[in-house]
Amino acid sequence: MAQNLYELTATLNNGTEKKLEDYKGKVLLIVNTASQCGFTPQYKGLQEMYEKYKSQGLEILGFPCDQFGHQEPGTDSEIQNFCQVNFGVSFPLFKKIEVNGEGTHPIYQFLKKKAPGLFGKSIKWNFTKFLVDRKGNVIKRFATLTPPEKIDSKILELLST
């Protein structure tokens, strides 16, 4: 288990390996996403937030996941195309991963350990959000039902420090 978020890597949906260390000094909002979920419209709010705060140091990292009701059945390129066409998503999207169970991606192992939710260390559903400060500390976990705009004040707080 990694001791620090920046020790970890993930694969972008175009196949490029990305070190989370590249995001050092940024405020991160890490979200497990799905294209065929009742919460999929949250992509719109995430993109608006990204456009609003990217220049101040916010990065949103989207991790598609198909573990909840088979709501992310597409390939990585289909997911990317869907997100761009329907929501204009320009924040980084990664290869589809698992967020629960034996195949849990190391990033989600780390996030769940640092910010367990109501179900312990499990992710309950799509669009669970983890807020990380500029030093890589997991500050807060937000439930699926929390829309991006409700996180705005927390993000502003972290961007100003």
Side-chain angles (χ1 to χ4, degrees), residues 101-155:
E102 285 186 26
T104 298
H105 191 282
I107 290 173
Y108 272 81
Q109 290 174 9
F110 180 86
L111 293 170
K112 293 188 302 182
K113 180 180 179 197
K114 296 295 182 181
L118 292 175
F119 291 88
K121 292 188 178 151
S122 292
I123 299 293
K124 182 181 174 185
W125 202 255
N126 303 308
F127 291 91
T128 298
K129 301 154 204 71
F130 291 87
L131 186 59
V132 179
D133 71 10
R134 293 182 188 271
K135 295 177 182 161
N137 300 308
V138 181
I139 300 301
K140 189 160 172 69
R141 176 179 180 157
F142 296 93
T144 300
L145 292 170
T146 306
E149 53 273 14
K150 294 283 187 188
I151 303 171
D152 209 73
S153 62
K154 275 282 191 207
I155 290 192

Side-chain angles (χ1 to χ4, degrees), residues 6-143:
Y6 299 131
E7 295 173 15
L8 300 169
T9 61
T11 306
L12 290 164
N13 67 356
N14 66 7
T16 304
E17 198 70 16
K18 183 75 170 164
K19 295 177 185 175
L20 264 60
E21 177 182 59
D22 294 345
Y23 297 111
K24 234 179 198 174
K26 305 274 188 183
V27 171
L28 302 177
L29 188 63
I30 302 174
V31 187
N32 63 303
T33 61
S35 301
Q36 297 178 12
C37 173
F39 296 100
T40 299
Q42 286 191 22
Y43 269 125
K44 180 179 187 287
L46 291 168
Q47 180 60 29
E48 288 170 355
M49 180 180 283
Y50 187 62
E51 290 171 6
K52 189 173 174 183
Y53 297 125
K54 182 181 183 347
S55 65
Q56 295 174 49
L58 174 69
E59 284 293 339
I60 296 174
L61 309 181
F63 285 89
C65 177
D66 192 35
Q67 289 187 290
F68 306 103
H70 195 49
Q71 295 180 344
E72 190 62 282
T75 65
D76 291 316
S77 61
E78 288 169 340
I79 294 164
Q80 177 73 37
N81 185 55
F82 171 85
C83 291
Q84 286 177 337
V85 168
N86 293 287
F87 300 102
V89 168
S90 61
F91 55 83
L93 290 173
F94 291 80
K95 286 185 93 49
K96 200 178 338 182
I97 64 163
E98 291 185 9
V99 298
N100 288 329
E102 285 186 26
T104 298
H105 191 282
I107 290 173
Y108 272 81
Q109 290 174 9
F110 180 86
L111 293 170
K112 293 188 302 182
K113 180 180 179 197
K114 296 295 182 181
L118 292 175
F119 291 88
K121 292 188 178 151
S122 292
I123 299 293
K124 182 181 174 185
W125 202 255
N126 303 308
F127 291 91
T128 298
K129 301 154 204 71
F130 291 87
L131 186 59
V132 179
D133 71 10
R134 293 182 188 271
K135 295 177 182 161
N137 300 308
V138 181
I139 300 301
K140 189 160 172 69
R141 176 179 180 157
F142 296 93

